[in-house]
């Protein structure tokens, strides 16, 4: 088998099984584990998978630009946003993390809802500017242009002063073993601070982000109180998450 054919085979197995193990690939393809590790390394450098100890996992589509992500799975994101918006109660302090799905949540908050929303996302702050009863607290920091969120020491220090009732977390990658992970280290620190300052944490996750991993781990899966996903996601795909005690919300 040629190198290109072998690597294509690895990607096909990864898409089917959601993960690959170096030892198993070595046995099936009848090549050394060193060869498999080299294949995985070069596929990871091409952005086609995420290497982990002993093998590899799928990568998240969250590596795309903000503008491109707005075009991805719009109906799925709207379904998630409608379900997530129902979790916000009057009078709460809510942290809205950046992301195209959390932006959708702002569009489904009732017009008579009194609440305080804390966000590091300029698009979310602007979307809520016309809401009659929501006070918006904009977190400062350095703008991470790819995701359109503020990050850095200023953002984290501001979050340490806040005790929120609820955090709506934009999840780049979610995996039962790896947990919550993101492609940017600064974002990982900010998301971790958001989780630490919130009584409950809601993970907003489209199907394509489930069972994927990114380079920087935010927290374990147990940091989430709720996992809100689309009604089209199968029970089989969610079984591992349910077994870990997560409350799964999939409103029709």
């Amino acid at each position: 088998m040629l190198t290109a054919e072998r690597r294509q085979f690895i990607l096909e197995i990864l898409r089917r099984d959601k993960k690959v193990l170096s030892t198993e690939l070595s046995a099936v393809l009848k090549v050394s584990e060193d060869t498999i590790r080299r294949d995985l390394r070069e596929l990871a450098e091409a952005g086609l998978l995420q290497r982990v100890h002993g093998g590899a996992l799928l990568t998240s589509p969250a590596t795309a630009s903000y503008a491109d992500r707005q075009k991805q799975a719009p109906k799925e994101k709207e379904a998630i946003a409608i379900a997530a918006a129902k979790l916000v109660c009057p009078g709460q302090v809510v942290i809205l993390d950046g992301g195209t799905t959390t932006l959708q949540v702002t569009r489904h908050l009732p017009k008579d809802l009194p609440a305080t929303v804390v966000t590091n996302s300029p698009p979310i702050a602007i979307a809520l500017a016309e809401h009659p009863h929501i006070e918006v607290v904009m977190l400062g920091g350095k703008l991470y242009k790819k995701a359109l969120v503020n990050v850095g020491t200023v953002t984290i220090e501001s979050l340490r002063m806040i005790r929120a009732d609820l955090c709506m977390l934009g999840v780049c990658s979610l995996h039962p073993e790896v947990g919550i992970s993101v492609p940017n280290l600064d974002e990982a620190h900010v998301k971790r601070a958001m989780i630490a300052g919130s009584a409950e944490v809601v993970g907003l996750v489209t199907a394509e982000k489930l069972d994927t991993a990114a380079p920087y781990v935010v927290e374990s899966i147990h940091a989430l109180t709720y996992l809100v996903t689309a009604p089209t996601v199968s029970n089989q795909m969610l079984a591992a998450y349910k077994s870990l005690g997560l409350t799964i919300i999939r409103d029709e």
Side-chain angles (χ1 to χ4, degrees), residues 81-178:
I82 291 170
K86 295 174 184 176
L87 296 172
V88 182
C89 298
Q92 284 189 326
V93 175
V94 180
I95 294 175
L96 276 187
D97 184 20
T100 55
T101 309
T102 42
L103 179 61
Q104 284 280 356
V105 172
T106 66
R107 295 167 183 159
H108 296 283
L109 295 173
K111 289 299 180 183
D112 61 349
L113 175 73
T116 299
V117 169
V118 180
T119 186
N120 64 330
S121 165
I124 286 175
I126 292 168
L128 289 172
E130 299 301 319
H131 196 291
H133 302 293
I134 289 181
E135 180 179 355
V136 181
V137 178
M138 183 73 212
L139 298 170
K142 177 181 67 176
L143 182 66
Y144 175 40
K145 294 180 181 179
K146 188 171 185 178
L148 290 185
V149 290
N150 290 337
V151 296
T153 305
V154 172
T155 317
I156 292 168
E157 286 301 315
S158 297
L159 283 165
R160 286 176 180 159
M161 300 170 62
I162 295 165
R163 286 294 171 265
D165 299 292
L166 194 67
C167 171
M168 296 275 185
L169 199 71
V171 176
C172 300
S173 292
L174 192 69
H175 191 276
E177 297 170 20
V178 178

Side-chain angles (χ1 to χ4, degrees), residues 12 21 36 60 83 134 232 252:
E12 288 171 3
L21 299 175
I36 295 298
S60 169
I134 289 181
T232 52
E252 296 292 340

Side-chain angles (χ1 to χ4, degrees), residues 32-75:
S32 70
E33 285 193 47
D34 282 341
T35 297
I36 295 298
R37 280 192 288 269
R38 184 166 57 251
D39 288 339
L40 296 181
R41 183 169 59 249
E42 296 197 14
L43 289 168
E45 288 171 358
L48 298 173
L49 54 77
Q50 176 63 46
R51 293 182 71 200
V52 294
H53 183 71
L57 299 172
L58 291 167
T59 56
S60 169
T63 53
S65 70
Y66 191 89
D68 287 340
R69 284 188 286 123
Q70 282 188 307
K71 302 170 188 174
Q72 294 171 348
K75 291 183 179 179

Side-chain angles (χ1 to χ4, degrees), residues 1 5 52 55-56 66-67 76 78 80 108 111 113 133 162 164-165 169 189 191 194 200 204 247 251:
M1 186 179 287
E5 293 175 318
V52 294
Y66 191 89
E76 188 178 2
E78 184 175 21
I80 292 169
H108 296 283
K111 289 299 180 183
L113 175 73
H133 302 293
I162 295 165
D165 299 292
L169 199 71
H189 285 302
K191 288 178 188 288
M194 288 177 170
E200 296 185 325
L204 310 179
T247 300
D251 281 6

